[in-house]
Amino acid sequence: MPGIRPVELSQGSELKVQRYSGLADYLSTWQAMKDFTASRTENTPDEIWLLQHTPVYTQGIAGKPEHLLHNNGITVIRTDRGGQITYHGPGQIVAYLLLDMRRLKLGVRELVRRMEGAVVDLLRDYCIGAEGRVDAPGVYVDGAKIAALGLKIKNGYCYHGLALNVDMDLSPFAAINPCGYSGLQVTQTRDLGVAAGLETLSGELAGKLQMRLFRI
C-alpha cells in the first residue's frame, strides 16, 4: 500500500499479522488485496492486515444505490465484496483477512461465524455482551451494530474482512442505511465505556481472530 508502513505483529508458518500506520486509501488497499490474492500459491501464508481508512463509503457487489440516503460529499466506491453499503473512517479498526479457505477447510458461513465470534470474544473481555445475527452478518450490542463484515471469495481464497467501530465520528452512518437496513443504529467501543484505544484493540482483535480461525 503506497505510503503506508507495515509493522509486523506476528508470523507463523500459517499466518502473518501486520498493522499499517497512518490512514490507508481504500482503492489502493483494495488493489493490494487483489494483487496478493492473484499471486499467492498453496504455500503462501495467510495474512491479516490491520488498518484505518480515510473516510469512504463502500457498496457491495449487489448493493442497491438507494441505501445511500443523501450525498454528503464522502466518496462512494463500488467494490467486489458481498453486502450492501457501509462506512469506513478514522477511529475504526479494519481487519482484512487474506485466507486460503481450502487449507483452513472453511466454508463461507463458518468463516463468517468465526469472524463474528472473534469480535464477540473481544467484547466479552470488556464485559460487553454482543452477538451475531444469522439474518444480518455482523456483530451487535443491544441491537446496534458495532462490527460489519464483507468478503470476496475467488479460487478458494478470500479477501476483505471486518470493520470494528472504536472511537470515530459516527455521523456519516446517518447518510446511509447501514448494510442495507433502514434505521439500523450503530455504536462503538468508546461509547460502551471501553477505554482501550485502537492500538490495543487491534492487537487483541488479531489474537482473537487467530484463535478462532486456527483453533489455537
Side-chain angles (χ1 to χ4, degrees):
M1 280 170 278
I4 303 298
R5 180 176 60 87
V7 179
E8 190 171 296
L9 298 183
S10 65
Q11 182 173 4
S13 59
E14 295 181 304
L15 180 70
K16 178 190 292 184
V17 181
Q18 297 189 97
R19 180 189 291 127
Y20 289 82
S21 62
L23 296 176
D25 169 73
Y26 184 83
L27 282 174
S28 60
T29 306
W30 178 22
Q31 186 61 54
M33 286 191 288
K34 291 189 287 186
D35 291 345
F36 176 90
T37 301
S39 65
R40 66 180 303 166
T41 71
E42 62 183 14
N43 298 316
T44 303
D46 294 325
E47 295 196 7
I48 297 176
W49 298 353
L50 301 166
L51 51 90
Q52 299 175 72
H53 279 306
T54 52
V56 65
Y57 293 118
T58 63
Q59 183 86 47
I61 193 168
K64 298 178 180 179
E66 57 263 35
H67 291 307
L68 177 66
L69 303 178
H70 60 84
N71 185 342
N72 58 7
I74 296 175
T75 300
V76 181
I77 295 175
R78 292 294 301 266
T79 186
D80 61 348
R81 63 163 174 79
Q84 293 289 330
I85 192 168
T86 194
Y87 171 70
H88 299 305
Q92 180 190 67
I93 298 170
V94 179
Y96 287 128
L97 308 182
L98 297 104
L99 308 174
D100 183 334
M101 296 178 65
R102 291 167 297 193
R103 188 165 60 204
L104 290 171
K105 296 180 172 61
L106 284 177
V108 177
R109 290 185 179 181
E110 177 63 18
L111 175 56
V112 168
R113 298 287 87 82
R114 293 195 193 187
M115 291 165 65
E116 292 171 338
V119 177
V120 170
D121 293 344
L122 173 63
L123 296 175
R124 185 184 298 120
D125 287 349
Y126 290 92
C127 301
I128 296 170
E131 62 182 1
R133 283 170 46 181
V134 174
D135 62 320
V139 179
Y140 301 80
V141 177
D142 295 328
K145 196 162 197 173
I146 195 168
L149 282 70
L151 294 168
K152 171 68 175 179
I153 314 298
K154 187 171 184 179
N155 300 325
Y157 303 120
C158 79
Y159 56 100
H160 293 291
L162 66 87
L164 173 65
N165 303 333
V166 174
D167 186 0
M168 61 189 304
D169 176 8
L170 295 176
S171 63
F173 284 101
I176 63 174
N177 290 326
C179 302
Y181 289 87
S182 177
L184 179 64
Q185 298 299 304
V186 294
T187 190
Q188 58 186 336
T189 58
R190 182 194 66 188
D191 295 342
L192 297 173
V194 177
L198 283 156
E199 184 171 346
T200 297
L201 290 174
S202 62
E204 292 175 349
L205 177 60
K208 300 297 186 185
L209 286 166
Q210 289 181 74
M211 287 189 287
R212 283 279 183 165
L213 293 171
F214 294 92
R215 302 294 196 189
I216 59 175

